[in-house]
Amino acid sequence: MTLFHTRERSHPRVLMAAFALSALVLSGCSSSATGAAGGTGPADPNAELKVATSHVPASLDPCAGNIGYDIDYLQLMYAPLIDAEPATQKLRPGIATEWGFSGPDNLTFEMTLQNGLTFHDGTTLDAAAVKASMEHCLSLGIVSVPTIKSIEAKSPDRVTISLSSPTSGLPGWLNGRLGMVVSPTALAAAGADFANKPVGAGPYTFTSAVPNSSYTFSRFDDYKPAGPPSPQLAKIQIQVISNPTALTNALTSNAADFAYGLTPSSAPILERNPNLNVSHDPRLGVALVVINNKNPVVNDVRVRLAMQYALDRKAIARAALDSSEGTAAFGQYPPGSQFYDEETEDAWPYDPKKAKSLLTEAGYPNGVTVRGLAGNLPPYSTNAVLVREQWEKVGIKVDFVEMSGPQAITEFVAHNSADVFSVGWPTRASAPLNFEASLGSRSYFRQNSVPNEELEKLIALLNNTYDESAQLDIVKQINQVVVKSAEYVPLYFTPDVVAYTKNVHGAVPALNGSPNLTYLSKS
């Protein structure tokens, strides 16, 4: 589960993405003689790749879904306006060959598009199609960038976006759902049913699906590289397997060639199999507990701080993952990432005595009761159990009601049916986009939270800062405000575990946690 990317209004979109925490990063693996991870031998252009995963998409319309797991599937079908190098998330050309801000206060954003691209249905991909796709996306409300005033197709290969205020994170939005361009012809024909008849311009076409069970994609022979590489497989079949043991068994029994969304505890078992490559690398994304801090009890910062000090994050990570690979989290960026802030390390050390004192100071010497929600799959369901046990020891009583990802997000955000929510957040490589989406007052997830004026000023400053080193200074200030106000409860960072057979080639690390299957081939 990973809260999501958009709101990507920076939105619920965002929270949804949360459910895709596991979809946060794909790891790299050993190298073959050709420099790509996997075995040796020439790729078979007629090969079919069998993929197994626990990740279920909410929608195959890039802007109708609210779960981070969607991205795993969407990037097969849709070419992005702006692509990103999987291992670093550094932006690079996709459909757009050039882009940049201009004018007073950088309120104009222009893109030059690659010529000669077509959608799977033969429709030309030009500026008019990009404009129609972006407007469709924004109209659905899950992805929302309020600073966009207008989108214009200045010529067949030129798109201009007018902004109401500085938005330095816009290229990051265009690397996500907003930049996944859909066919205007297919959209007009399918209408509300487009998610069941998706048409993009990516390397693979949608073939069929049994919702929540299996999804099949076929090579698009007329694909012209626009970010993702040319397809090297005839077909990709994705099977959804929610049980962790069954997911591991799919690989060891040769029922799958490639599997992701594996638990860290499964790695030792898979690594003993000489026919498999296994990788587990750090990724962006954090397991956490989100708070609706407008609600009684949790609207008191002392209660929220008590929640922080009551937790032994290292113990939670070890128990939830059944592994020592998790890292305690006190912010949104893990060690080693460009916006990691070592000054927040151990910001709320495990201190049950201090937690009890804060509750007493807040007027709750006998403890408090809060309402909880959790996704019904590990690690979020497991995290909820572990958090509840530690909170109860200091007097914070909570029962986490488990629901499916989309339902839980709707209940927490739209219906405010809980005070706290055990989920994951898919941290974005772009700091302006990430903090606007996760902590901005217009974030979908924050509609049941009290606006924080200090955060608002810093996020506005971040949106008007275009140099990453300068952005890091602002990120550190944001983190200090969060340490004081306890806006959410970070738990831990976890590596992504990916495994595949020796005849699979091209696996690449994916810092965003969404394995990019377009790079794979099979001999």
Side-chain angles (χ1 to χ4, degrees), residues 195-216:
N196 295 317
K197 302 174 182 178
V199 178
Y204 291 89
T205 65
F206 172 75
T207 301
S208 63
V210 178
N212 304 316
S213 178
S214 64
Y215 301 79
T216 302

Side-chain angles (χ1 to χ4, degrees), residues 12-320:
R13 300 62 154 129
V14 181
L15 193 49
M16 303 267 218
F19 270 96
L21 177 74
S22 331
L24 288 184
V25 208
L26 180 51
S27 325
C29 320
S30 59
S31 299
S32 71
T34 61
T40 57
D44 178 3
N46 298 314
E48 297 183 5
L49 186 74
K50 297 175 292 183
V51 177
T53 183
S54 57
H55 298 174
V56 181
S59 176
L60 297 183
D61 179 337
C63 293
N66 53 14
I67 294 180
Y69 296 150
D70 296 345
I71 304 301
D72 312 350
Y73 298 78
L74 299 175
Q75 58 195 1
L76 289 169
M77 299 179 290
Y78 301 99
L81 282 169
I82 298 177
D83 193 33
E85 201 284 319
T88 65
Q89 288 299 291
K90 292 295 184 183
L91 299 181
R92 63 187 184 185
I95 295 171
T97 58
E98 296 180 334
W99 61 87
F101 294 92
S102 63
D105 299 320
N106 290 314
L107 298 183
T108 298
F109 185 84
E110 297 179 296
M111 293 182 286
T112 300
L113 309 182
Q114 184 177 163
N115 291 310
L117 301 180
T118 60
F119 291 100
H120 302 153
D121 60 4
T123 301
T124 298
L125 198 169
D126 58 11
V130 169
K131 171 181 166 68
S133 180
M134 291 182 65
E135 290 178 341
H136 160 70
C137 185
L138 295 171
S139 73
L140 296 181
I142 291 180
V143 174
S144 173
V145 185
T147 56
I148 293 180
K149 291 171 55 180
S150 66
I151 303 164
E152 299 178 69
K154 293 290 190 179
S155 67
D157 67 350
R158 193 174 184 83
V159 175
T160 299
I161 300 173
S162 297
L163 302 166
S164 59
S165 61
T167 311
S168 63
L170 183 58
W173 289 117
L174 298 175
N175 168 245
R177 296 173 186 263
L178 183 59
M180 294 182 173
V181 184
V182 306
S183 165
T185 303
L187 184 62
D193 198 38
F194 179 77
N196 295 317
K197 302 174 182 178
V199 178
Y204 291 89
T205 65
F206 172 75
T207 301
S208 63
V210 178
N212 304 316
S213 178
S214 64
Y215 301 79
T216 302
F217 306 87
S218 299
R219 177 172 52 225
F220 177 37
D221 289 324
D222 293 330
Y223 175 68
K224 182 178 178 182
S230 296
Q232 301 181 68
L233 297 159
K235 185 177 294 185
I236 296 177
Q237 297 175 315
I238 303 177
Q239 187 75 29
V240 176
I241 303 176
S242 58
N243 181 278
T245 301
L247 184 57
T248 299
N249 290 342
L251 272 173
T252 57
S253 66
N254 295 319
D257 305 304
F258 185 97
Y260 66 96
L262 296 157
T263 61
S265 60
S266 68
I269 298 171
L270 296 171
E271 287 167 344
R272 288 195 291 268
N273 189 318
N275 298 315
L276 298 174
N277 287 319
V278 181
S279 68
H280 33 122
D281 297 319
R283 67 185 180 194
L284 292 178
V286 57
L288 44 65
V289 175
V290 184
I291 305 172
N292 277 341
N293 70 21
K294 275 186 180 178
N295 295 345
V297 181
V298 293
N299 62 354
D300 191 317
V301 66
R302 293 166 295 187
V303 173
R304 300 198 301 273
L305 285 169
M307 290 176 167
Q308 306 281 12
Y309 287 106
L311 297 179
D312 182 342
R313 289 166 167 82
K314 292 181 180 179
I316 290 173
R318 283 195 302 270

Side-chain angles (χ1 to χ4, degrees), residues 394-462:
V394 303
I396 301 171
K397 301 176 182 64
V398 56
D399 284 324
F400 285 95
V401 177
E402 293 185 10
M403 298 180 182
S404 67
Q407 181 185 5
I409 289 171
T410 299
E411 285 297 319
F412 184 75
V413 176
H415 303 307
N416 192 14
S417 20
D419 305 308
V420 294
F421 183 18
S422 172
V423 291
W425 176 258
T427 307
R428 301 300 297 270
S430 164
L433 186 161
N434 183 69
F435 286 106
E436 176 70 24
S438 63
L439 292 173
S441 62
R442 293 171 295 189
S443 165
Y444 175 79
F445 306 105
R446 297 276 294 176
Q447 60 185 276
N448 298 315
S449 292
V450 178
N452 185 309
E453 291 185 6
E454 284 186 274
L455 285 178
E456 284 304 295
K457 291 177 182 177
L458 289 169
I459 290 172
L461 180 61
L462 191 60

Side-chain angles (χ1 to χ4, degrees), residues 314 327-330 335 340-349 493:
K314 292 181 180 179
T327 302
F330 298 90
Y340 169 64
D341 179 7
E342 62 182 10
E343 295 174 15
T344 62
E345 199 64 31
D346 212 22
W348 308 285
F493 304 108

